[in-house]
Amino acid sequence: MTDRVFVDGNGIWIEGVHGVVGYPWAEIMDVGMCVLALPPDDQPFLYLDVSHSSGEFLELNEDLDGFPEAVRAVAERAGRPVPELDELRRAGGCVEICRARTVGG
């Protein structure tokens, strides 16, 4: 089974062989889209950085099934434009997709 990420009315989740883990919307502080340059050739790699109210976080990488759909769902829930993944990959850095006041329950 391949891990997959999904977003629903309850929160952001990752499902794998050991079950489902994630955070409910009421506990999510913000969600950012980040680009990491991976060695040895600095290949750009996208991931969602989901910050929890406890200070913990989830990093959900673009290799997960459902990644583009999860990015779209978070942006739409926050009322923000859906980020263009290829543009972000070229630009690098991190972009905030939403804050607690726009995603929280």
Side-chain angles (χ1 to χ4, degrees):
M1 176 179 187
T2 302
D3 289 352
R4 75 178 183 101
V5 59
F6 65 96
V7 174
D8 63 17
N10 296 316
I12 301 175
W13 314 99
I14 184 168
E15 180 180 38
V17 294
H18 299 292
V20 177
V21 296
Y23 300 141
W25 289 117
E27 298 173 11
I28 294 173
M29 298 308 296
D30 58 57
V31 180
M33 171 67 71
C34 297
V35 180
L36 180 66
L38 296 177
D41 57 357
D42 293 331
Q43 181 69 31
F45 186 76
L46 296 172
Y47 66 94
L48 279 175
D49 182 21
V50 183
S51 297
H52 188 265
S53 58
S54 69
E56 293 183 16
F57 60 92
L58 288 175
E59 290 180 348
L60 307 171
N61 68 56
E62 69 178 316
D63 287 345
L64 293 168
D65 283 347
F67 183 82
E69 295 83 4
V71 171
R72 173 179 281 104
V74 171
E76 288 175 352
R77 181 175 176 92
R80 309 267 308 261
V82 177
E84 168 48 52
L85 300 183
D86 288 334
E87 281 181 29
L88 287 172
R89 191 176 282 109
R90 284 189 295 275
C94 291
V95 175
E96 182 181 83
I97 297 176
C98 59
R99 283 215 155 284
R101 69 180 181 284
T102 59
V103 298

